[in-house]
Amino acid sequence: MEWILPLERINLRSVLSTGGKAARLGALLQAGFNVPGGFVITADAFQLHHPVLLEEPPPPPILTSAFRTALAEAFQGHFAADEQVAVRSSAIDEDGAGMSFAGQHATYYYITADRLEQAVIDCWRSLWSPAAQAYRQVWDQAMHPMAVIVQRLVRAERSGVCFSRDPLDPVPGTVVIEASWGLGAALVDGRVQPDRLKVNESGAIVELQIGDKQVMVPASLPDPTQSRLDPVPEHLRTAPVLTDREAIALHEATEQIEVLFDQPVDVEWAWDARGLHILQARPITSVAAPPVIDQRLVLFKPVAENFSEPMTPMSVDLFASILPRVGRFVRGRLYLDFDAVKPLLPVKASDAELVDILLLRRTPEKLSLSFPRFLASSGLGVVAWLGFGTFWARSARVSPDALEQLFVPWLKQLSDESPLPVSAFMRRAFFGRSPFAPVWQFILQLNISAGRYFLLLGFLRELIARFAPRFNLELLGDLVHNDADMWSKRMVADVTSLARIASESADSHEALSAHQLVEKVRMLSPEHPFLVALGRFLTRFGHRGPREIDLSTPRWREDVTPLLIMVRNQMLHGTTNEDDRYARHLVARDQLRKAMPSALMRRAAALLLRRIRYFMTLRENTRHYHTMVFDAVRTRLLATEHELRSENKLNCAGDIFFLRWHEVESLRTGRVEAREISTLIRERRIAHLRETRALPPETFGIRLPKSKTPDDANTLAGQCACGGDVIGIARIVLRSDQAHDLKPGEIMIAPYTDLTWTPLFPSLAGIVVGIGSYLSHAGTIAREYRVPCLVDVKGCIEKVPDGQRIRLNASEGYVELLHDLDEPVDETEGESDELPPITTMDSARKIALDLIEAYK
């Protein structure tokens, strides 16, 4: 019976006494990999102190004197007297091919000789942790003894995990790497959004997603009682963790480890001043099974197209309390109940065609009325009109000034004075004090009702097609151009103004050009013109921010870094000359007048245009105001979290967003223990990080025909949101604050967009978005700036290389990868002989000036 074994004496045959984790580390060490040295406390030592393995946790064991002596001698033989080590579990059933127990048992860092005995006991006792017991219940497994690894602590500057096969798309030879700053605990616990790379079998990086790495576990911890989470320095948050050479080295090491164990592996690694260290290697367990859904569901596109990642549990809980009961959240994404919505559509269509309609993808070419559904939907329509018809009519006459002059003070007063709990506060803020409250109090409903402009746009298109067939529908975006004062356009103008003010002063230009730009900007004088202008901007837009629909995301007022990066990019790269959109509008209007001889039809078109512009403005502006509610709710949640952290009931910033509101109330009142909540938060953080790695399924439980893939592998199909045909350089931008390399005249490839992306649009040659629709933010703003835009382009992030020369033909709905100097685009194709095209901005401006003179 051996209680302690050096790692170099262990191999895969030792698994029954040392556990799977230790056995694989020993095998790696013997194969020549750089594994931190140390020793293993075997399962024999565990059984010495736990002769009977009970399901219920026993009292802490009292270590025998002989074992204490052996433990002290092992420490002295392997480490310096004052050295800190890592103490890690290695249960006999841990890190198997079927079960990994990843993160279910304990790991302790920064352990010194005087704290080693307690760390070993705590590691043993994690066998009975609620997480580990729940894990065994799911897998219906018995309990097994635990070995413990004591290893030299790697002072990691960078760390992460590698998968020799992508768990979501297991292509041989493609290695997935996730990387973050500091020790790996923050990544393993799901507390950090890591960089994510894919390296193919030839060693080329084919995908790179830079995470916003807000926290890290530092390499050393002078005070063991302090929090082990430190903020990442601002200039490193969105900086790549690995160089290309280091990523390729990890790819090679992971491939070699897969060969060594003859199976796909999940490898934990760390990089310090001495090089790469392998901390763990285990078989890749199967991906989490898809949820069992007893309904037919369709993804709710208006949310997904603004936020492709899953919502956190708190956001799900609070949003579910205010949304109509026509759907449900599945793993953080909102879905519509297909069978509940289907009777509301009074048309004859297949399930596949109805799914396309609900996904705002396309309308079938031939739709016929279904009389039974028409009667049912008409009845429901009458009921809906009785309940909401008045609001529908009132929302058609909301003054833009009313929202700023009435809604903003009302929300501030509600926030300052209301004693309501968070969930009730959110309902009050969105539904007003009563059904008879002024219409401006129903800010979310206003936003939804403003979506009717899409229907009016369809009527206008049909009117033009029938009574003005010579009119070029490519000019429809110019025709409906809205010169109203949208908040999104104000924001673009203000960001441009900030960039101009920064460039006019040497010290502000230098501050924004520095790596540590936030710290440098803070060093400017409070009276500096840039800081004064920045303060005004945050007063108006401080409640906005990237991914603002989720309550867990910091706003610009809390974290100004993304905003300053956006200003810096515009300051350094500038913008193209802004189109004279009003000139284009006048040209389009004049061409419609010529193409539509009927004065009555022209008046009908003018009425439709006024209503379309009104509702387009209302839809964009109400987004600005309902995000104020999100900000107010987040502020209340953060205050509650601060209270719970001061009482040691929550551990880390952001923990509250991984609870539901009733769980927070139970924690506050003591009905649930902090330790139980801590385990729950950790499990949900890990699950949330796992879900962010994959795009959501568009449907559940609906049989759909396989979608047609383009015959040409170099072509991707999508939905036109703003017409146009351009050739340019593709630039991958995963987040609005990561557009460092995006230059004017390039084509932006993005997974989604929201309002915070708006300042990027005016200078672009084109936009390609992975998820979206004609009604999405990308489509609405692209039409305003007349930028060709293609949405709902599946695989655009993965299949379009950064820097690739592409052709974006948004009008015909495709993106083409160009590998040689193809012939230039035929700009005259499909144009009418009688209505001359607008070929340059100069000609548009000249025609417009002539029209203005004529109108005078």
Side-chain angles (χ1 to χ4, degrees):
M1 179 182 294
E2 292 184 280
W3 295 333
I4 295 175
L5 292 173
L7 265 177
E8 56 267 21
R9 282 183 51 194
I10 296 170
N11 54 39
L12 293 178
R13 291 189 295 272
S14 312
V15 67
L16 293 180
S17 62
T18 64
K21 184 187 297 182
R24 284 184 171 80
L25 284 175
L28 287 167
L29 196 58
Q30 292 180 10
F33 289 92
N34 189 12
V35 175
F39 57 87
V40 178
I41 302 167
T42 68
D44 292 336
F46 176 89
Q47 291 174 313
L48 173 68
H49 297 89
H50 302 86
V52 179
L53 201 56
L54 302 173
E55 289 296 327
E56 293 300 319
I62 299 174
L63 301 181
T64 66
S65 59
F67 175 74
R68 294 180 64 189
T69 300
L71 185 60
E73 290 175 351
F75 190 94
Q76 292 168 7
H78 284 83
F79 310 111
D82 59 348
E83 189 167 355
Q84 291 181 331
V85 298
V87 177
R88 313 169 65 196
S89 68
S90 182
I92 303 306
D93 54 350
E94 192 170 347
D95 284 358
M99 297 186 303
S100 71
F101 277 90
Q104 309 303 315
H105 297 139
T107 295
Y108 299 98
Y109 301 104
Y110 318 111
I111 301 301
T112 52
D114 60 320
R115 298 170 53 221
L116 180 59
E117 292 181 2
Q118 187 59 50
V120 171
I121 292 172
D122 290 342
C123 214
W124 282 343
R125 289 182 60 76
S126 69
L127 193 66
W128 290 275
S129 71
Q133 289 182 317
Y135 195 90
R136 280 191 292 270
Q137 287 176 1
V138 168
W139 288 90
D140 192 24
Q141 291 291 315
M143 188 179 294
H144 295 273
M146 177 182 285
V148 174
I149 306 167
V150 180
Q151 276 182 292
R152 178 166 286 108
L153 180 64
V154 178
R155 305 292 181 178
E157 301 164 353
R158 295 157 294 164
S159 58
V161 296
C162 293
F163 300 92
S164 64
R165 309 270 181 105
D166 186 346
L168 301 175
D169 185 19
V171 178
T174 298
V175 170
V176 176
I177 303 172
E178 293 183 346
S180 62
W181 301 112
L183 274 62
L187 173 57
V188 173
D189 289 349
R191 295 188 181 278
V192 67
Q193 183 186 45
D195 293 353
R196 195 165 194 265
L197 304 86
K198 281 188 180 181
V199 184
N200 67 13
E201 58 185 356
S202 61
I205 297 174
V206 294
E207 184 178 327
L208 171 61
Q209 299 179 17
I210 304 297
D212 184 5
K213 303 165 287 290
Q214 298 183 19
V215 295
M216 62 185 287
V217 176
S220 60
L221 196 67
D223 181 3
T225 63
Q226 74 183 54
S227 170
R228 68 177 188 174
L229 281 178
D230 282 355
V232 171
E234 166 268 322
H235 66 287
L236 293 178
R237 278 179 44 179
T238 55
V241 172
L242 297 170
T243 65
D244 290 359
R245 186 184 298 273
E246 290 166 343
I248 293 168
L250 279 167
H251 173 272
E252 293 174 352
T254 306
E255 292 276 87
Q256 292 167 4
I257 293 171
E258 181 180 81
V259 172
L260 175 66
F261 294 126
D262 194 25
Q263 61 186 152
V265 288
D266 163 3
V267 177
E268 289 186 22
W269 56 268
W271 218 297
D272 68 2
R274 294 173 295 174
L276 174 63
H277 302 265
I278 303 300
L279 306 182
Q280 184 170 318
R282 58 177 168 238
I284 294 178
T285 52
S286 58
V287 182
V292 178
I293 305 296
D294 56 358
Q295 294 174 279
R296 299 203 295 171
L297 302 176
V298 179
L299 185 68
F300 186 58
K301 203 70 166 291
V303 171
E305 65 195 11
N306 290 294
F307 186 72
S308 64
E309 291 134 352
M311 288 188 179
T312 49
M314 180 62 75
S315 300
V316 168
D317 188 43
L318 294 179
F319 279 110
S321 69
I322 65 169
L323 294 175
R325 307 299 184 191
V326 291
R328 60 183 284 190
F329 283 92
V330 179
R331 290 183 172 175
R333 271 91 176 213
L334 181 58
Y335 287 81
L336 291 174
D337 184 336
F338 181 75
D339 292 314
V341 176
K342 184 176 179 178
L344 304 180
L345 302 175
V347 293
K348 292 179 180 177
S350 66
D351 284 354
E353 290 172 327
L354 292 176
V355 165
D356 279 341
I357 293 173
L358 293 175
L359 289 174
L360 308 176
R361 185 176 289 149
R362 65 182 69 86
T363 302
E365 294 182 3
K366 294 182 180 180
L367 281 177
S368 58
L369 193 66
S370 168
F371 189 69
R373 287 187 186 174
F374 175 75
L375 290 178
S377 59
S378 299
L380 290 172
V382 170
V383 173
W385 181 258
L386 292 175
F388 303 103
T390 303
F391 176 83
W392 189 265
R394 291 164 67 200
S395 66
R397 297 188 300 274
V398 177
S399 165
D401 295 335
L403 298 177
E404 184 68 16
Q405 296 172 4
L406 299 175
F407 178 79
V408 175
W410 174 77
L411 179 62
K412 185 178 186 306
Q413 181 181 6
L414 184 65
S415 302
D416 294 342
E417 300 177 2
S418 174
L420 295 171
V422 170
S423 55
F425 171 82
M426 189 167 182
R427 287 193 293 271
R428 173 68 62 83
F430 278 128
F431 294 115
R433 296 185 180 277
S434 76
F436 307 103
V439 69
W440 49 262
Q441 286 189 16
F442 301 92
I443 198 71
L444 186 61
Q445 295 89 322
L446 280 174
N447 180 267
I448 295 170
S449 70
R452 73 183 90 169
Y453 89 84
F454 186 58
L455 298 176
L456 298 177
L457 196 61
F459 292 148
L460 178 64
R461 184 183 290 271
E462 291 300 317
L463 182 73
I464 291 173
R466 182 168 182 180
F467 295 101
R470 294 186 302 122
F471 181 78
N472 182 3
L473 286 175
E474 290 289 326
L475 302 180
L476 191 60
D478 293 329
L479 188 64
V480 301
H481 164 70
N482 192 354
D483 58 358
D485 199 9
M486 286 186 187
W487 276 106
S488 55
K489 293 162 70 174
R490 291 189 209 177
M491 187 176 71
V492 172
D494 284 2
V495 169
T496 303
S497 177
L498 281 171
R500 177 182 53 78
I501 293 170
S503 65
E504 291 172 350
S505 169
D507 50 357
S508 58
H509 189 285
E510 181 182 353
L512 282 171
S513 302
H515 284 298
Q516 300 174 326
L517 77 168
V518 175
E519 298 171 18
K520 296 294 184 182
V521 167
R522 285 176 181 151
M523 294 170 64
L524 296 174
S525 166
E527 293 80 24
H528 193 284
F530 178 75
L531 282 188
V532 173
L534 180 63
R536 287 197 302 266
F537 182 93
L538 292 176
T539 299
R540 301 176 81 180
F541 299 104
H543 63 286
R544 308 306 299 258
R547 300 174 295 155
E548 61 197 1
I549 197 170
D550 191 82
L551 300 173
S552 68
T553 308
R555 314 292 139 157
W556 280 336
R557 185 183 59 254
E558 304 169 57
D559 180 9
V560 76
T561 306
L563 173 62
L564 291 181
I565 291 173
M566 196 182 301
V567 174
R568 177 177 66 187
N569 291 344
Q570 193 158 132
M571 180 189 74
L572 295 177
H573 301 307
T575 181
T576 55
N577 292 327
E578 184 177 319
D579 277 355
D580 189 343
R581 293 185 298 279
Y582 187 62
R584 287 185 176 274
H585 166 69
L586 289 178
V587 171
R589 193 171 72 178
D590 188 64
Q591 293 202 12
L592 179 63
R593 181 179 60 81
K594 292 177 180 178
M596 185 176 282
S598 168
L600 179 62
M601 291 300 102
R602 287 202 300 272
R603 283 196 292 271
L607 175 63
L608 282 172
L609 282 169
R610 285 196 298 273
R611 289 287 81 191
I612 289 169
R613 294 183 194 121
Y614 168 81
F615 287 117
M616 284 175 64
T617 303
L618 183 65
R619 183 171 172 84
E620 281 298 305
N621 285 352
T622 49
R623 285 177 178 171
H624 177 80
Y625 293 107
H626 70 59
T627 51
M628 288 184 179
V629 179
F630 299 161
D631 180 51
V633 172
R634 173 177 165 81
T635 300
R636 289 190 163 220
L637 288 171
L638 291 177
T640 303
E641 182 181 70
H642 178 75
E643 169 196 327
L644 292 172
R645 290 185 68 189
S646 66
E647 298 172 358
N648 295 320
K649 293 182 177 180
L650 288 178
N651 297 326
C652 300
D655 277 356
I656 196 169
F657 299 105
F658 290 88
L659 296 174
R660 298 185 176 91
W661 181 248
H662 71 88
E663 293 166 344
V664 171
E665 292 183 321
S666 297
L667 185 62
R668 294 175 80 174
T669 57
R671 295 197 300 270
V672 63
E673 293 185 4
R675 177 175 291 187
E676 183 180 343
I677 286 292
S678 178
T679 300
L680 182 64
I681 290 171
R682 186 175 183 279
E683 291 173 352
R684 287 179 179 170
R685 279 186 178 274
I686 294 171
H688 185 266
L689 181 60
R690 182 177 62 242
E691 289 300 319
T692 61
R693 294 170 180 154
L695 289 174
E698 289 186 336
T699 62
F700 284 104
I702 304 175
R703 283 187 181 277
L704 298 175
K706 288 187 177 181
S707 57
K708 294 181 179 179
T709 56
D711 295 333
D712 186 353
N714 293 321
T715 301
L716 300 175
Q719 178 185 353
C720 177
C722 182
D725 190 349
V726 294
I727 290 177
I729 298 299
R731 193 65 63 197
I732 305 293
V733 181
L734 298 174
R735 292 162 47 121
S736 59
D737 57 342
Q738 293 179 3
H740 308 83
D741 300 324
L742 184 66
K743 296 180 177 60
E746 293 185 331
I747 300 173
M748 182 176 75
I749 314 293
Y752 66 92
T753 70
D754 59 25
L755 186 133
T756 61
W757 294 67
T758 304
L760 303 175
F761 280 44
S763 65
L764 297 175
I767 302 164
V768 178
V769 183
I771 188 168
S773 66
Y774 189 88
L775 283 176
S776 67
H777 167 270
T780 302
I781 302 301
R783 290 189 293 275
E784 275 302 300
Y785 289 102
R786 200 68 181 94
V787 180
C789 180
L790 196 65
V791 297
D792 216 26
V793 185
K794 292 181 174 59
C796 62
I797 297 295
E798 297 82 7
K799 296 177 182 178
V800 179
D802 189 58
Q804 169 76 43
R805 186 168 172 268
I806 65 172
R807 175 180 182 177
L808 166 60
N809 189 333
S811 300
E812 298 195 13
Y814 69 87
V815 175
E816 181 183 2
L817 278 61
L818 302 177
H819 299 289
D820 50 25
L821 294 178
D822 292 348
E823 66 278 2
V825 179
D826 182 5
E827 295 180 347
T828 64
E829 184 178 350
E831 291 164 356
S832 166
D833 293 333
E834 299 182 23
L835 298 177
I838 304 171
T839 55
T840 67
M841 200 55 243
D842 289 338
S843 63
R845 190 172 288 109
K846 182 179 184 303
I847 295 171
L849 290 174
D850 292 342
L851 289 172
I852 291 171
E853 288 299 319
Y855 288 139
K856 285 181 180 179

